[in-house]
């Protein structure tokens, strides 16, 4: 079959790498893609939210399956767009419909879902401009630090954690009254701070059956020791060493099962990935957030550990027969380290030549903000590429990635040298 992946990051390069190995995949397309995906697939120059443009290409290239990488097209309803179009409704779309994508598109929707289905999460209340004063009172009833979340999509920047009550009140006002995050902060969720250790779990569902994929932990801060500004993710490891069978069974019974049952009860059609951000407090897992897609860079550490043909799994999702599939997981550890442009996540320069990629033999490189201009690979974004390695344990996988990185050069290249620092024995 012909398959189209939507997106342009390392996550989509990793999907292209995995899908291109499937004997079921005849022709592979990525829109818009990057210099990495172009080595495995045909890049199509269309935006992920240009639904009419996507339709045109799906018809021209006789595409049978669309795998949606990022959240925006899902939250804007790409799956519904395909279902409601007579020329497109035979195409399998991997990603939830708009109603279910609200689990990521609206923090308040997600919190209400969690509460309704008795899934453990932080206590919260949500506020609008009109209820600002109640928001102040609620903040006063909480202990520091204070967690403020813009309700809508804010490109991963909509969560603020503040230690000072007055600053928290100021920020709440600036979000609600001065539209700090635009439309996204018309509503703000104020939440109890949870002090624990984070991990992510990934689930595939066809709407009624589910499969649990390997756990991962990502490193979001720009600086060593988890200091400094938040980024899209500076590296990830899989599996998470502290996620043993007891914790995993709590996660499955208290979080994953009620989530899938909740989707059914609430009539929220879901065929795709659910990425559950978790925090473990005193050995008890709580949900921090839902994402309706895979994580980036978590995908670059999780997909390499899946041995099963992903296209076969996607077909089972489309046919609602996921219960008939076994997903085989590689027991090795996989780690991925992100190389970023100097200055990122603040202002940075683009268009720097990247060299040394051909010397990498022991790791896989997934391109993110990189493009091929007449045979030269140039940086085109903040997160440039990610270097994934396997190992028998975390230490050996990391050693391989860091050794491979020594070959790669571009001006002002930056990366964290301490991915997994908190988890090594
Ligand atoms: P989110 O966008 O909801 O994933 O939040 C971004 C980050 O903020 C998370 O990865 C956590 O590190 C942190 N965070 C969110 N909610 C809480 C909370 N209730 N308690 C502690 N940390 C939180
Ligand atoms: N790495 C975090 C995310 O994809 O949201």
């Amino acid at each position: 079959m012909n398959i189209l992946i939507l997106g342009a990051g390392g996550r989509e390069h990793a999907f292209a790498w995995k899908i291109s190995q499937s004997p079921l995949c005849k022709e592979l397309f990525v829109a818009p893609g990057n210099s990495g995906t172009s080595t495995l697939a045909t890049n199509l120059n269309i935006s992920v939210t240009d639904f009419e443009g996507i339709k045109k290409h799906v018809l021209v290239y006789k595409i049978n399956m669309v795998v949606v990488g990022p959240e925006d097209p899902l939250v804007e309803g790409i799956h519904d767009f395909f279902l409601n179009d007579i020329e497109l409704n035979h195409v399998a779309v991997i990603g939830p419909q708009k109603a279910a994508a609200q689990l990521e598109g609206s923090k308040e929707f997600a919190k209400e879902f969690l509460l309704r289905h008795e899934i453990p999460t932080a206590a919260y209340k949500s506020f609008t401009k009109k209820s600002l004063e109640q928001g102040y009172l609620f903040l006063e009833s909480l202990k520091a630090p204070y967690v403020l979340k813009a309700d809508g999509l804010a490109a991963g920047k909509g969560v603020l954690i503040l230690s000072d009550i007055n600053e928290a009140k100021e920020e709440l006002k600036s979000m609600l009254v001065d539209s700090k995050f635009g439309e996204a902060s018309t509503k703000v969720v104020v939440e109890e701070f949870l002090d624990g250790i984070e991990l992510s779990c990934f689930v595939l569902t066809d709407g009624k059956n589910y499969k649990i994929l390997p756990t991962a932990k990502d490193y979001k801060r720009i600086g060593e020791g988890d200091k400094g500004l938040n980024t899209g993710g500076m590296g990830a490891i899989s599996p998470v060493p502290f996620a043993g069978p007891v914790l995993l069974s709590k996660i499955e019974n208290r979080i994953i099962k009620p989530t899938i049952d909740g989707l059914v009860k609430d009539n929220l059609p879901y065929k795709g990935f659910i990425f559950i951000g978790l925090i473990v407090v005193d050995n008890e897992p709580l949900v921090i957030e839902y994402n309706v897609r895979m994580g980036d860079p978590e995908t670059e550490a999780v997909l390499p550990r899946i041995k099963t043909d992903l296209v076969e799994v996607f077909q089972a999702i489309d046919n609602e027969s996921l219960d008939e599939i076994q997903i085989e997981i590689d027991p090795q550890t996989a780690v991925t380290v992100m190389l970023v442009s100097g200055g990122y996540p603040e202002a940075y320069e683009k268009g720097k030549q990247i060299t040394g990629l051909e010397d990498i033999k022991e790791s896989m490189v997934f391109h993110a903000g990189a493009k091929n201009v007449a045979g030269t690979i140039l940086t085109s974004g903040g997160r440039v590429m990610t270097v994934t390695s396997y190992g028998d344990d975390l230490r050996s996988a990391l050693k391989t990635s860091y050794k491979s990185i020594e070959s790669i050069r571009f001006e002002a290249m930056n990366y964290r040298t301490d991915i997994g620092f908190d988890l090594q024995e």
Side-chain angles (χ1 to χ4, degrees):
M1 66 167 78
N2 293 345
I3 301 174
L4 168 65
I5 301 168
L6 294 182
R11 169 181 51 208
E12 287 74 22
H13 187 185
F15 269 122
W17 165 80
K18 182 70 183 155
I19 290 173
S20 64
Q21 295 167 35
S22 169
L24 296 167
C25 177
K26 201 164 109 213
E27 277 193 76
L28 183 60
F29 300 87
V30 186
N34 59 35
S35 48
T37 62
S38 69
T39 63
L40 301 164
T42 305
N43 283 351
L44 302 175
N45 190 19
I46 341 163
S47 144
V48 296
T49 48
D50 175 6
F51 293 178
E52 289 297 339
I54 292 169
K55 172 177 175 176
K56 222 182 286 168
H57 287 80
V58 164
L59 296 177
V60 168
Y61 294 111
K62 301 190 168 38
I63 284 160
N64 314 93
M65 178 181 281
V66 178
V67 179
V68 186
E71 63 277 18
D72 297 42
L74 294 166
V75 172
E76 290 184 25
I78 191 157
H79 197 147
D80 312 63
F81 176 83
F82 272 69
L83 287 174
N84 295 331
D85 187 310
I86 193 146
E87 290 179 289
L88 296 178
N89 61 14
H90 65 284
V91 177
V93 178
I94 303 303
Q97 289 177 46
K98 186 173 182 166
Q102 288 302 303
L103 284 177
E104 179 164 0
S106 163
K107 300 269 186 208
E108 186 185 44
F109 180 91
K111 294 299 284 193
E112 286 173 351
F113 178 92
L114 288 160
L115 232 63
R116 190 160 57 244
H117 302 293
E118 298 179 7
I119 302 168
T121 189
Y124 82 103
K125 278 193 176 158
S126 53
F127 302 95
T128 60
K129 194 153 81 173
K130 277 196 186 138
S131 52
L132 180 63
E133 290 297 325
Q134 282 110 295
Y136 290 160
L137 289 176
F138 185 61
L139 279 171
E140 281 167 14
S141 77
L142 297 173
K143 277 198 274 208
Y146 306 93
V147 184
L148 308 181
K149 298 186 172 183
D151 177 58
L153 290 182
K157 299 196 173 77
V159 176
L160 301 179
I161 300 185
L162 305 147
S163 47
D164 180 79
I165 180 87
N166 292 320
E167 214 182 319
K169 287 181 178 173
E170 269 309 301
E171 287 292 354
L172 181 64
K173 179 161 173 261
S174 131
M175 286 165 96
L176 291 173
V177 180
D178 311 324
S179 308
K180 177 167 179 143
F181 298 107
E183 279 279 303
S185 65
T186 312
K187 241 183 230 163
V188 173
V189 167
V190 178
E191 199 169 279
E192 162 200 22
F193 179 82
L194 299 172
D195 191 7
I197 179 151
E198 286 181 52
L199 79 152
S200 299
C201 91
F202 302 92
V203 180
L204 265 171
T205 183
D206 60 9
K208 47 182 210 268
N209 306 294
Y210 67 86
K211 295 284 172 192
I212 304 176
L213 302 177
T215 53
K217 185 172 194 297
D218 96 338
Y219 291 80
K220 288 204 179 91
R221 303 296 189 97
I222 186 70
E224 311 274 313
D226 283 339
K227 301 268 164 35
L229 294 174
N230 251 326
T231 70
M234 296 295 288
I237 58 113
S238 177
V240 179
F242 65 81
V246 175
L247 180 61
L248 287 178
S249 111
K250 286 182 188 171
I251 293 172
E252 178 164 13
N253 291 318
R254 297 181 196 169
I255 292 167
I256 297 173
K257 279 189 185 146
T259 297
I260 304 296
D261 291 347
L263 291 171
V264 174
K265 280 186 200 147
D266 292 354
N267 196 20
L268 296 170
Y270 207 118
K271 291 186 173 186
F273 291 94
I274 314 178
F275 160 178
I276 312 179
L278 300 165
I279 195 155
V280 182
V281 183
D282 297 331
N283 297 315
E284 305 301 330
L286 294 100
V287 174
I288 292 192
E289 63 164 349
Y290 286 113
N291 295 301
V292 296
R293 53 173 173 84
M294 280 298 286
D296 191 355
E298 291 92 328
T299 305
E300 295 93 299
V302 168
L303 284 193
R305 297 191 54 228
I306 299 178
K307 288 184 163 177
T308 312
D309 181 344
L310 202 55
V311 179
E312 220 174 285
V313 179
F314 288 162
Q315 275 182 326
I317 288 179
D318 188 46
N319 302 330
E320 298 178 18
S321 59
L322 197 54
D323 53 331
E324 291 166 20
I325 289 264
Q326 290 292 328
I327 298 191
E328 201 190 337
I329 306 296
D330 189 331
Q332 291 185 94
T333 292
V335 304
T336 198
V337 179
M338 188 67 78
L339 308 180
V340 305
S341 300
Y344 171 81
E346 297 184 284
Y348 57 85
E349 289 180 23
K350 298 181 193 173
K352 308 294 180 195
Q353 186 176 352
I354 304 163
T355 58
L357 296 173
E358 60 290 347
D359 298 330
I360 294 178
K361 303 282 184 272
E362 287 169 31
S363 304
M364 288 179 284
V365 176
F366 295 116
H367 296 205
K371 61 178 182 182
N372 185 330
V373 177
T376 303
I377 312 294
L378 303 178
T379 66
S380 63
R383 294 197 298 170
V384 174
M385 47 186 55
T386 183
V387 181
T388 296
S389 311
Y390 294 107
D392 290 335
D393 56 22
L394 198 50
R395 192 179 301 271
S396 69
L398 285 163
K399 198 168 156 202
T400 307
S401 271
Y402 284 121
K403 185 162 161 269
S404 296
I405 288 171
E406 284 174 18
S407 312
I408 306 178
R409 300 243 184 300
F410 60 87
E411 196 186 310
M413 177 172 111
N414 183 29
Y415 60 94
R416 271 181 65 170
T417 62
D418 69 342
I419 298 305
F421 76 99
D422 51 337
L423 301 175
Q424 295 188 48
E425 296 81 41

